[in-house]
Amino acid sequence: MAAERRIAVCDLGSNSFRLVVFTASEEEHWWRRTDEIHEPVRIGAGLAETGRLSEEGIARALATTEVFAHFCQALGITDIDAVATSAIRDATNAEDFIGRAALPVRVLSKEEEARMGYLAAVNSTTLADGAVLDLGGGSMQLVRVASRHATELQSWPLGAVRMTERFGLGEGTASKKQLKAVREHVAQQLSDAPWLPKSGQRIVGIGGTVRNLAAAVQRAIGVPEFGVQGFVIEHEPLTELVARLAALEPADRAKVPGIKFSRADLILAGAAVVEAVLDLGGFPAIEATEAGLREGVFFANHLKGDPPLFDDVRHASVLNLASQYHYDHAHTEHVARLALTLFDDLAAAGLHPGDARERELLWSACVLHDIGMSVDYDDHHKHSKYLVLNSGLPGFTQREVAIIGQAVRFHRKGMPTPGGFEKILQPGDEEILDRCALLLRLAEDLERSRDQLVRAVDVACHDGAVRLTLQADGDTRVARWAAGREGELFRRAFARELEIAA
Amino acid sequence: MAAERRIAVCDLGSNSFRLVVFTASEEEHWWRRTDEIHEPVRIGAGLAETGRLSEEGIARALATTEVFAHFCQALGITDIDAVATSAIRDATNAEDFIGRAALPVRVLSKEEEARMGYLAAVNSTTLADGAVLDLGGGSMQLVRVASRHATELQSWPLGAVRMTERFGLGEGTASKKQLKAVREHVAQQLSDAPWLPKSGQRIVGIGGTVRNLAAAVQRAIGVPEFGVQGFVIEHEPLTELVARLAALEPADRAKVPGIKFSRADLILAGAAVVEAVLDLGGFPAIEATEAGLREGVFFANHLKGDPPLFDDVRHASVLNLASQYHYDHAHTEHVARLALTLFDDLAAAGLHPGDARERELLWSACVLHDIGMSVDYDDHHKHSKYLVLNSGLPGFTQREVAIIGQAVRFHRKGMPTPGGFEKILQPGDEEILDRCALLLRLAEDLERSRDQLVRAVDVACHDGAVRLTLQADGDTRVARWAAGREGELFRRAFARELEIAA
């Protein structure tokens, strides 16, 4: 086992306290969450009225940080970063908690809190120019992003808990008048962010409210659900969701498919704030990501550079996932090399467009095709797909993840199908899938004996056929036997016969 | 990494040739399939007519064994056991193949072939007394099992390929007369197995035909499908399936949900033979297992003892699965210990029946609850369930696997539900699931800091409440905090309040 580093990030938020353990292997280039405990402390309850943390809230917070401290001690984790946000930052009596807490608490300034959200968003999406919205229980942060750098960092007391209390959205159904008041309040508060409508067309949303809204919209519009990473919430279904939630009593809002029970009373205020921001900024949609403040704090601790960003989020996602299952690097790298060569040579021969984005999907499928072996050899193509969908592959759209997942799914046998993803695929995607699955399969066949015997392949086109000539030092019988089975799919993908020569 | 041993088992059958690599770790006590290649050689085609292997069949067989030999060489596998069965055993010109094959071929006698099927069946089910049916392409073996020992081992030329050819079941729809002829032929052949009706009530079926029939019956009766391991094919739906297949042209038989395309022309003959055996032996049903001849050959190589059997198949299955994901043994063993103590103490207090079989399900869920961590920490309870269902846990019924899967699924939060398994659960199973999930959760809570701090628990009942007093050297704050959340499920499972004391 390579040396691993563990860090506990404690997020002492207005709504809940959460401890997340991140484990990273410098040597093997992966990181992941490895443990998590949380408690719905709601330390921000009542703050809007009194400006103070309540005695009960402080008692719950102290007991919970005590549990967190013991937990870290028991697990031998010494690297702890406990950060407090809006509620504790703003309360006049915050010291009554901080001074007695069992962990050293670092109160994030508004700008620091916004920066953590920015790091989470830009390290888990391809956002280069636009905005990041981070909606918590106490506050909302907006960050302007230009060329992947944060150029404006602001925070307002517009969190879901506060807005619910301020506008009485936690009791009874909500009237149009109440929702209008929320919109006006948000507009008034954001008047000091004149950059918002000029920031660009893209906005990425982080935090539990956005994740929960994404899940509810997925259910409402009936798309395949594999987490909310990369899901794009369009304006219209969001508006419909707000209307639907407003017509329900708070206790009934969890009956809306996708809405979590624990958020039933807060989700309407959060949804209304997000909708108002889209309107004010002129954004057609908001992109969800699974990363949040805690990942931001982890990235700030873990990544090098200023700002600490992955050079290429998509590349980093694929390698992070592959590294966690570290299955035979020499084999997968060779498969990727062979597949990309075939891709390039067949494009040069005019047999397909040779699109760069498609090439990246093929590379990703090659790198990930065998990760399901860690589940079981039998049906490992299906397990690889399960792992790909489950990871969400930050930086890729859900459509792209679906294509990678299906290419991996069909890397051994069968004719590729959209596999239930019809609703998120675009015209031409089935052809992309056929090519990705076929080239991955051919490369896997040529490397079927996993010993890199077939060094390279020469591609020649003649008389409606494509001839692959294998370069190898040794007998290529296994490779030819395996690749010889791909004629049918090759015909479907490239409308050519396939010939294999030693 | 502990030392691992690899063996390639080559099954040179009448219908297909298949090479399976088994990897076993003596030290970590697991074994699994790690690679597989196969080719539909159909060396037995035409044998029924001529008694000889055809020139084409021999050529395909030689080319395929050449590929197998190269494959083993490339992977560095030197431990190879290539076994030939009925077609090669019976052909008058078998030496034309064996003498020129690239691998040393071991022709199994009828008894040896039957014995391999017996080892596969008895090592993957709880069969102690009854029969094993192994239906291949060329032959069918029946073994009488008494106290887990094979007492009769017989073989007949009743394989699916041979019967299809002999009774013309590969062309056109099949008439009642044809099916009657099959039944009479089977009855006549089995007249030298007078022990069959006396062997017991249970019969286990192995081989691709039985697996495929199981999949088709699962689809026909609409039960949840998670592989066919442990699935019981009742007589009636099998009879219905035979009628349905007979009414179709061979090419259309794969349209019956569950029937594989590659078996479309052979499945009817196989189904009719199985049905005839059930009738002749008076068996109400046949149990499917995923293990087959290849596993039998592996067990014969791998296990000690005579006969080479697992002492306890269920126990071995659970530990084999857990060991493959080797997640923190000290933790899972301690969770199991605490959960079983609670189970016993609460049974002694009269709060539940204390059934031994239920106790085994609880133990299994405890040992397996964290294996999903190897997929991802997030949602690892769901991943653990996925792995449990996928493994099939040989030796357990599908109902039991479903209960273990759901207990594992709910080992962190939420109120347990049947999760779509209603059709295979029995009355009382939801209560069993509640108890298993709750006790696993309580034990996990008490061991939440994964350091075995809570050594043991004292259980005391008083005034409608159950008080757990924790024994520990140190502060049990984390354990009490975690266990304190289980009041609601405890109330549902035991109709008592839960109290936790230091």
Side-chain angles (χ1 to χ4, degrees):
Chain A
M1 277 293 179
E4 293 172 5
R5 186 188 157 213
R6 285 184 303 168
I7 175 173
V9 175
C10 302
D11 172 5
L12 312 181
S14 306
N15 194 22
S16 71
F17 279 18
R18 201 169 282 266
L19 179 159
V20 178
V21 180
F22 291 95
T23 302
S25 164
E26 295 272 336
E27 200 173 315
E28 296 182 352
H29 308 290
W30 58 260
W31 66 272
R32 68 195 302 187
R33 271 192 276 188
T34 51
D35 217 329
E36 177 167 358
I37 61 177
H38 64 98
E39 181 73 20
V41 173
R42 295 210 168 178
I43 196 172
L47 185 72
E49 279 170 55
T50 65
R52 295 171 57 84
L53 307 175
S54 68
E55 282 309 308
E56 301 76 31
I58 290 175
R60 289 195 300 270
L62 289 172
T64 301
T65 40
E66 192 108 25
V67 167
F68 285 7
H70 276 269
F71 187 79
C72 291
Q73 200 180 10
L75 266 67
I77 297 174
T78 53
D79 203 352
I80 304 170
D81 195 355
V83 299
T85 51
S86 160
I88 294 169
R89 176 171 66 233
D90 297 345
T92 53
N93 62 337
E95 199 48 42
D96 292 355
F97 162 63
I98 298 170
R100 291 147 68 198
L103 292 169
V105 174
R106 181 161 77 98
V107 179
L108 297 179
S109 70
K110 288 179 176 184
E111 290 70 27
E112 286 169 333
E113 183 176 358
R115 184 175 148 80
M116 295 307 143
Y118 148 77
L119 289 177
V122 175
N123 275 316
S124 65
T125 69
T126 55
L127 182 71
D129 298 285
V132 174
L133 172 152
D134 176 6
L135 186 62
S139 63
M140 179 185 76
Q141 287 68 242
L142 285 173
V143 177
R144 182 178 191 171
V145 178
S147 301
R148 302 186 82 211
H149 282 66
T151 58
E152 307 271 358
L153 296 144
Q154 287 180 271
S155 178
W156 298 266
L158 296 171
V161 175
R162 284 207 207 180
M163 294 295 281
T164 299
E165 289 184 359
R166 181 174 185 129
F167 291 94
L169 297 176
E171 284 158 40
T173 62
S175 66
K176 284 192 178 167
K177 200 172 149 191
Q178 276 173 300
L179 293 175
K180 193 175 165 218
V182 171
R183 274 197 298 275
E184 286 174 358
H185 180 70
V186 174
Q188 182 212 326
Q189 291 273 311
L190 297 193
S191 61
D192 61 347
W195 54 267
L196 192 63
K198 300 175 228 157
S199 58
Q201 283 295 298
R202 290 180 68 181
I203 184 166
V204 171
I206 70 172
T209 296
V210 171
R211 288 197 298 273
N212 208 187
L213 291 174
V217 169
Q218 286 184 323
R219 300 284 284 271
I221 65 177
V223 294
E225 291 163 57
F226 45 93
V228 300
Q229 179 65 47
F231 180 72
V232 178
I233 310 173
E234 304 285 345
H235 197 299
E236 195 181 314
L238 178 62
T239 301
E240 284 166 13
L241 183 61
V242 169
R244 189 167 171 198
L245 291 169
L248 294 168
E249 297 275 338
D252 290 336
R253 287 175 194 153
K255 290 180 188 162
V256 173
I259 298 295
K260 285 192 179 179
F261 182 76
S262 60
R263 290 195 177 269
D265 56 340
L266 305 176
I267 192 72
L268 176 59
V273 170
V274 172
E275 195 195 6
V277 172
L278 294 194
D279 286 335
L280 291 165
F283 300 104
I286 182 166
E287 302 167 32
T289 172
E290 302 263 8
L293 180 86
R294 297 174 286 276
E295 278 72 20
V297 172
F298 168 70
F299 291 137
N301 276 275
H302 176 66
L303 294 177
K304 293 174 179 63
D306 183 21
L309 298 180
F310 291 114
D311 291 335
D312 180 331
V313 171
R314 292 154 66 98
H315 201 257
S317 283
V318 170
L319 292 184
N320 186 32
L321 183 59
S323 305
Q324 287 173 44
Y325 302 101
H326 45 79
Y327 187 75
D328 198 345
H329 285 306
H331 169 69
T332 52
E333 276 167 26
H334 197 62
V335 166
R337 201 154 40 229
L338 291 171
L340 294 178
T341 307
L342 289 169
F343 180 92
D344 295 340
D345 290 352
L346 291 168
L351 293 187
H352 72 100
D355 177 71
R357 208 72 189 240
E358 179 179 332
R359 192 176 192 274
E360 192 184 8
L361 298 183
L362 173 60
W363 171 78
S364 306
C366 290
V367 172
L368 297 170
H369 76 282
D370 265 351
I371 59 175
M373 298 273 263
S374 66
V375 172
D376 196 357
Y377 174 78
D378 290 335
D379 284 339
H380 71 260
H381 49 297
K382 294 182 188 170
H383 306 316
S384 294
K385 171 184 170 179
Y386 176 84
L387 296 178
V388 164
L389 294 184
N390 182 67
S391 91
L393 286 181
F396 290 87
T397 66
Q398 295 214 320
R399 167 191 158 258
E400 292 170 327
V401 176
I403 293 173
I404 295 170
Q406 286 306 95
V408 154
R409 163 68 181 78
F410 285 97
H411 89 264
R412 296 172 73 195
K413 55 186 178 184
M415 297 300 272
T417 67
F421 296 116
E422 289 82 354
K423 272 210 168 179
I424 55 176
L425 295 184
Q426 299 170 357
D429 280 354
E430 295 199 33
E431 288 71 29
I432 291 176
L433 171 58
D434 271 357
R435 288 192 291 268
C436 286
L438 168 72
L439 294 176
L440 165 54
R441 247 151 95 154
L442 265 181
E444 169 86 338
D445 291 331
L446 298 177
E447 168 58 3
R448 188 65 188 82
S449 51
R450 300 176 189 277
D451 57 356
Q452 294 86 59
L453 174 72
V454 175
R455 283 194 319 271
V457 183
D458 294 324
V459 175
C461 300
H462 64 97
D463 306 332
V466 171
R467 172 181 291 251
L468 306 185
T469 307
L470 312 190
Q471 296 179 18
D473 304 316
D475 189 323
T476 58
R477 194 178 302 255
V478 175
R480 281 178 286 131
W481 166 78
R485 306 169 149 209
E486 308 301 354
E488 187 183 356
L489 183 53
F490 194 90
R491 219 172 292 128
R492 191 167 97 173
F494 294 113
R496 294 286 189 286
E497 294 301 312
L498 174 65
E499 298 171 2
I500 316 280
Chain B
M1 278 292 178
E4 292 172 5
R5 185 188 158 212
R6 286 184 302 168
I7 176 173
V9 175
C10 303
D11 172 5
L12 313 181
S14 307
N15 193 22
S16 71
F17 279 18
R18 200 170 281 265
L19 178 158
V20 178
V21 180
F22 291 95
T23 303
S25 165
E26 295 272 336
E27 199 174 314
E28 295 182 350
H29 307 290
W30 57 261
W31 66 272
R32 66 196 302 187
R33 271 192 277 189
T34 51
D35 217 329
E36 177 165 358
I37 61 179
H38 63 100
E39 180 73 19
V41 173
R42 294 208 171 180
I43 196 173
L47 184 71
E49 279 169 54
T50 65
R52 295 174 56 86
L53 306 176
S54 69
E55 282 310 309
E56 303 75 32
I58 290 175
R60 289 194 300 269
L62 289 172
T64 302
T65 40
E66 193 107 25
V67 166
F68 286 6
H70 276 269
F71 188 80
C72 290
Q73 199 180 10
L75 267 67
I77 297 174
T78 52
D79 202 352
I80 305 171
D81 195 354
V83 299
T85 52
S86 158
I88 295 170
R89 176 172 64 231
D90 297 346
T92 53
N93 62 338
E95 199 49 40
D96 292 354
F97 162 64
I98 297 171
R100 292 146 69 197
L103 292 169
V105 176
R106 181 162 75 99
V107 180
L108 296 180
S109 69
K110 290 180 177 184
E111 291 69 28
E112 284 168 336
E113 183 177 358
R115 184 175 147 82
M116 295 307 144
Y118 147 78
L119 289 178
V122 176
N123 275 316
S124 65
T125 69
T126 55
L127 182 70
D129 297 285
V132 175
L133 172 154
D134 176 6
L135 186 63
S139 63
M140 179 185 77
Q141 288 66 243
L142 286 173
V143 178
R144 181 177 193 172
V145 178
S147 302
R148 304 186 79 211
H149 282 65
T151 58
E152 307 271 358
L153 296 143
Q154 287 179 270
S155 179
W156 299 266
L158 296 171
V161 175
R162 285 208 207 183
M163 294 296 281
T164 299
E165 290 184 358
R166 180 172 186 131
F167 291 93
L169 296 176
E171 283 157 42
T173 59
S175 66
K176 284 192 178 164
K177 200 172 150 193
Q178 275 173 298
L179 292 175
K180 192 173 166 221
V182 172
R183 273 197 297 276
E184 284 173 359
H185 180 70
V186 174
Q188 182 213 327
Q189 291 274 310
L190 297 193
S191 62
D192 61 347
W195 55 266
L196 192 63
K198 301 176 226 155
S199 58
Q201 284 294 297
R202 291 180 66 181
I203 183 165
V204 171
I206 70 172
T209 296
V210 171
R211 290 197 298 273
N212 208 187
L213 292 175
V217 169
Q218 286 183 324
R219 299 285 284 272
I221 63 175
V223 294
E225 290 163 59
F226 44 93
V228 301
Q229 179 63 48
F231 180 72
V232 179
I233 310 173
E234 304 284 346
H235 197 298
E236 194 182 313
L238 178 62
T239 302
E240 284 165 14
L241 182 62
V242 169
R244 190 169 171 195
L245 291 168
L248 294 169
E249 298 276 338
D252 291 335
R253 287 176 194 152
K255 291 182 187 160
V256 173
I259 298 296
K260 285 192 179 179
F261 183 76
S262 59
R263 288 193 178 272
D265 56 340
L266 304 177
I267 193 71
L268 175 59
V273 171
V274 172
E275 196 196 4
V277 173
L278 295 195
D279 285 334
L280 291 165
F283 299 105
I286 182 166
E287 302 168 31
T289 173
E290 303 265 8
L293 180 86
R294 298 175 285 276
E295 278 71 20
V297 173
F298 168 71
F299 291 136
N301 276 277
H302 176 68
L303 293 178
K304 292 174 179 64
D306 184 22
L309 298 179
F310 291 114
D311 290 335
D312 179 331
V313 171
R314 294 155 64 98
H315 200 259
S317 284
V318 171
L319 292 184
N320 188 31
L321 183 59
S323 304
Q324 288 174 43
Y325 303 100
H326 45 79
Y327 187 77
D328 198 346
H329 285 308
H331 168 69
T332 51
E333 276 167 26
H334 197 61
V335 165
R337 202 153 40 228
L338 291 172
L340 293 179
T341 307
L342 288 170
F343 181 92
D344 294 339
D345 290 352
L346 291 168
L351 294 187
H352 73 100
D355 177 71
R357 208 73 189 239
E358 178 179 332
R359 193 175 191 274
E360 192 184 9
L361 298 182
L362 172 61
W363 171 79
S364 306
C366 290
V367 172
L368 298 170
H369 76 283
D370 265 351
I371 58 175
M373 299 275 265
S374 66
V375 172
D376 195 359
Y377 174 77
D378 290 334
D379 284 339
H380 70 260
H381 50 296
K382 294 182 189 170
H383 307 316
S384 294
K385 171 184 169 178
Y386 176 85
L387 297 177
V388 164
L389 294 185
N390 181 68
S391 90
L393 287 181
F396 290 88
T397 65
Q398 294 215 321
R399 166 190 159 259
E400 292 170 327
V401 176
I403 293 174
I404 295 170
Q406 287 304 93
V408 155
R409 162 68 182 79
F410 286 97
H411 90 263
R412 295 172 74 195
K413 56 189 176 182
M415 298 299 272
T417 67
F421 295 116
E422 289 82 354
K423 271 209 170 180
I424 55 176
L425 295 185
Q426 299 169 355
D429 280 353
E430 295 200 33
E431 287 71 29
I432 291 175
L433 171 58
D434 272 358
R435 287 192 292 267
C436 286
L438 168 72
L439 294 176
L440 165 54
R441 248 152 96 152
L442 264 180
E444 170 85 339
D445 292 331
L446 298 177
E447 169 57 4
R448 188 64 188 82
S449 51
R450 300 175 190 279
D451 58 354
Q452 295 85 57
L453 174 72
V454 175
R455 283 194 319 271
V457 183
D458 294 324
V459 175
C461 301
H462 63 95
D463 308 331
V466 171
R467 170 180 293 251
L468 306 185
T469 306
L470 313 189
Q471 296 178 18
D473 302 314
D475 190 322
T476 58
R477 195 178 302 256
V478 175
R480 281 178 286 132
W481 166 79
R485 303 167 150 212
E486 308 301 355
E488 188 183 356
L489 183 53
F490 194 90
R491 217 172 292 128
R492 192 167 96 173
F494 294 113
R496 294 286 190 286
E497 295 300 313
L498 175 66
E499 298 171 2
I500 316 282

